[in-house]
Amino acid sequence: MAVWIIEENCTGCGLCAKACPYGAMVIEDKLARVTDRCTECGACLAACKFEALASDIEQEPIPDLSGYKGVWVFAETQEGKLLPVSRELMGEGGRLAAELGQDLCAVLVGSGLEPLADELASLGAKKVFLADDPRLAAYATLAFTRVLADMIQAHAPAVLLMGATPLGRDLAPRLSRRLDLGLTADCTQLGIDKETGNLLQTRPAFGGNVMATIYTPRVRPQMATVRPGVMAPPQARAGAQAEVIKQEVKLLDSDLLLKLMSFTPLASQGVDISQAKTIVAGGRGCRSREGFGLLAELAQEMGAELAGTRVAVEEGWIGVERQIGQTGVTVRPELYIACGISGAIQHRAGILGSRFIVAINRDANAPVFSVADYAIVGDVFKVVPAMLAALKEAR
Amino acid sequence: MSKPALRSDPEKLLRQIISRFVAQEITPLARDMDESGKIPKELMRKIAQMRLFGMRYPVKGGGCGGNSTLYCIMSEELARGLLSLAAKVSKQCLMGTEHLYRFGSKEMHEKYFAPAMRGEKIGSFCLTEPEAGGDLGAVATTATKDGDEWVISGMKTWITNAPIADFFTVLCQTDRSKGVRGLNFFFVPRDTPGVRISPRFETLGTRTTDIAEVAFNDCRIPGEYILGEVGKGLKSLLSILADIRSMTAALALGLAKAAYETAFQYAKERQAFGKTINKYQLIQSKIANMATDIWAAELMLYETTRKIDAGLPAGKESMMVKYFATETACRCCDEATRIMGAYAYSMEYPAQRYFRDARFLLYGGGTHEVLQQNIARELKF
Amino acid sequence: MNIAVLVKQVPDTNEIKLDPKTGTLIREGVESIMNPDDRLGLETALMLKDAHGAKVTVISMGPPQAIDVITEAMAMGADGGVLLSDRNFAGADTWATSYTLGKALEKLLAETRLDLVIAGRQAIDGDTAQIGPQVAEHLGWPQVTYVSELKLEDGSLRAWRKLPGGVEEVVCPLPAVVTVLDAPQDPRWAMVDRLLWACGPKSPIRVWDAADIEAPAKSTGLRGSLTQVMQTFSPKSERKTDWIEGTAEEQARHLVNALSQRNLI
């Protein structure tokens, strides 16, 4: 076992049990005990204040990393335009670069993207690294990996941020493994450790019931993907200029193995709940399509968009374009009303950006209440009709 | 140094898998099935694909290679979802097919047993008669040898699965002068001329359980359709009685747990006089008593099945656990309805179904009045 | 046709609840399950086995109790299983995990040909979606991610990728690594006869440690991880929850008042 308790020092304070992401540490008779749930992740070691935890995990030495400089943002594009997440990353990347006293740089990979350099400059980029080639017009994992790897090896940045989009989540792990870099997925918060200059990457872990702060002590660049919709885009400053550095594109035939045969767009319902100001959402507790009818009434009365959880979508109560949560959409409305939603972490993570959250659920233990401003323990089928009545009365 | 082989614990894993199957495939349909009295074919197909019907039989005989403990784990977990479905599956595994498996010819195995393992043919066990329940000496259905054939005549009642059965295992008297020593089981395909099945009984609970009366009017079957040696029917019945009773106890245990969990959850959510009702001592007492009885029943049950699996006599233990687990189920289902108040009276919630279904368990495997008497006899009292 | 499927044992995060008073996790009764995306990956492999007759081997890295996901996979229809278990593997980040899985696949490749590696898109305890692409890079094979349906053609695969905006159809030469997020049919249930066989002495499940796959300690587990966990904490929101009590009517009226005072309605 890699982690064990030094019983003389243990006070049974429970800090380790709180820190353990796997619930593997239990306190029994005022002593901590490691149970067989332990994955030996080591998260408890830092938590103990009494030197009561020991491990035989060996640490690798930290090399000199001072040669790596610059915060890079991979500027993902679609049809020649920057994705919103690219702008959000420029905002966050700028903040980090300022804290590090380094340059914010943007990376453009594609075909005919040079015109975007000015826009990236206006968003704070000092330099724009550009790989422009007709063979890069469509995204191809291996081709993009090679180009980015070449760029990174040539310029040695300290940080590389990408959007946690389908493309980013396909490309980042491949690239990180090619260059043997640490990668943290789906971050919701970034910061800089003042002592070491390490990037502090915070993300929901273990089904998100826990937040974990992750760092990459011994390799550079530190890679992270960032969840779209979480960071704020910067104020654009018109007229700002950036140095454009063109990267020679060298590809192998084997980098272009995948053949795209067809693309069938999803029938768009013309809704974008990520932009809604008020959202009424339902989950398992709404029990049926009819239950959702009641929510639709409430949404209409409030001028809100209707949304649902993964369960509601799977049950066919609501369309997939209105799904909220990890695999769905992240929303940041002014007011979010969760009806009959227990609030699995994926869902909670998807709504945390809301200004006010109302939760209605029969189960007082439902995790959704932990993020609610207003909590109503009660039956959706009683509370929602009462709300409708109260709203009509107030009008 | 060779490493010791690391293997999963089959009991733990089987329980987990069936429990997940119940949560995903049975619980969401339980109310519909209970109200319509029908089990969707697709669901039975999935159960067959999991090979649950072969749970007790050796792999060489076309089964899974399980034992009584695994079998009861299956019955218990299925009963948490829907008792009648659990009973239907459990009976097919045991009474519906056991004599056919043990005594049937190769041809009968191919024609009936193998399809029964695939869930394509249903077997039904015919013991009870209008004038003979637990009293086997009073069995009046006769089997008479006529040349190479047997002729079966008589009436059987409270026959589970009769309306959907493809074949029957029928307890008959071959020689009235020998009393219980003249008893034998016979294999009667449903399409044998002279087999008549009454309309399905209307019952209080376990509404997907098909129960009817079966009349055998001079049914002629081949000589090889006698299941076991002449005069050994009682012996072969006794050899599976401990299994039947522990399986019934497993069904009861599963049902008790379902009722307990429903009430437990409800009590933590339901508010009364400004606090959730789990804060009241009278509710706490009920929950504590339910949990205690359930634990006792569980310990008794699996102690009994381990004896059966070890080939030890478990007649007394199986009667005790059938009696205790079923009483526990009846008590838990009753207490659950009290904790849940009027919600238990509504057809929308499962508590009423647990309450109705529990009564089914009182009769199969012997009424408790007979069982208590037999337990006392076993104690040489 | 030989297919390797990567599976992970995870806690069933859907069952996790928070204690409303302390804000800590209620973990009691939370079971360990086969990661849902991996189950879909296994179903995808078994469908290919049904259609083309493939040999399916499942591989998992984890503590000894993770043997259960391998056993269940065998019960569903996999032909072989390998558990990678060694105290040195513990605490691995995705780099070290993909390295360890990659070394195991290399050992498997030394024994037999492999045409395809299938992994779930992501695990519900981490949601990183990194292992598939990282294993692909380890092997130097192309990757196809976000797959919902897979067909085999002569020397290549045709896959349908389910993306937020639509479905992409791609063709990729074999061998390749595929990560799946869906399958054309619900994953099949375990068969009890196979389950008991996989639990028994004749089970072909193998357990490999670090020495078996020639993975040095400095490249596996916590020590080999490039990322480290600095701290974990409950996502305590700064929100002060206002618990609205009373009858449904009282609750509704209180809420509507509060919302209109804040100009939210």
Side-chain angles (χ1 to χ4, degrees), chain B residues 306-379:
Chain B
R306 275 178 223 295
K307 277 197 156 183
I308 297 173
D309 289 336
L312 299 169
K316 178 180 67 188
E317 290 83 351
S318 69
M319 284 193 284
M320 286 175 165
V321 68
K322 192 273 163 179
Y323 168 51
F324 183 77
T326 301
E327 291 293 346
T328 294
C330 289
R331 221 163 25 240
C332 286
C333 294
D334 181 28
E335 292 290 35
T337 64
R338 292 164 197 260
I339 291 169
M340 297 181 65
Y343 281 96
Y345 200 58
S346 157
M347 297 308 274
E348 209 179 310
Y349 300 95
Q352 49 76 27
R353 188 179 79 233
Y354 301 149
F355 183 80
R356 286 185 288 112
D357 283 357
R359 310 305 291 181
F360 169 75
L361 297 165
L362 284 170
Y363 320 113
T367 65
H368 290 191
E369 290 65 28
V370 172
L371 279 183
Q372 289 174 67
Q373 200 178 317
N374 289 353
I375 291 167
R377 197 182 60 209
E378 288 279 333
L379 295 169

Side-chain angles (χ1 to χ4, degrees), chain C residues 16-94:
Chain C
I16 289 178
K17 292 192 167 184
L18 290 177
D19 187 313
K21 288 195 194 77
T22 62
T24 54
L25 300 181
I26 303 172
R27 296 179 173 110
E28 257 157 56
V30 176
E31 273 188 18
S32 291
I33 56 170
M34 188 190 300
N35 179 50
D37 278 359
D38 301 349
R39 192 179 285 277
L40 293 163
L42 178 59
E43 179 60 36
T44 302
L46 295 175
M47 284 175 73
L48 294 176
K49 177 181 172 178
D50 293 344
H52 305 275
K55 182 169 181 276
V56 176
T57 305
V58 288
I59 303 179
S60 184
M61 184 185 96
Q65 59 267 29
I67 187 96
D68 284 354
V69 292
I70 305 230
T71 308
E72 190 183 352
M74 307 273 290
M76 288 165 70
D79 303 281
V82 180
L83 175 67
L84 307 172
S85 201
D86 191 304
R87 46 174 288 185
N88 282 341
F89 296 163
D93 74 349
T94 63

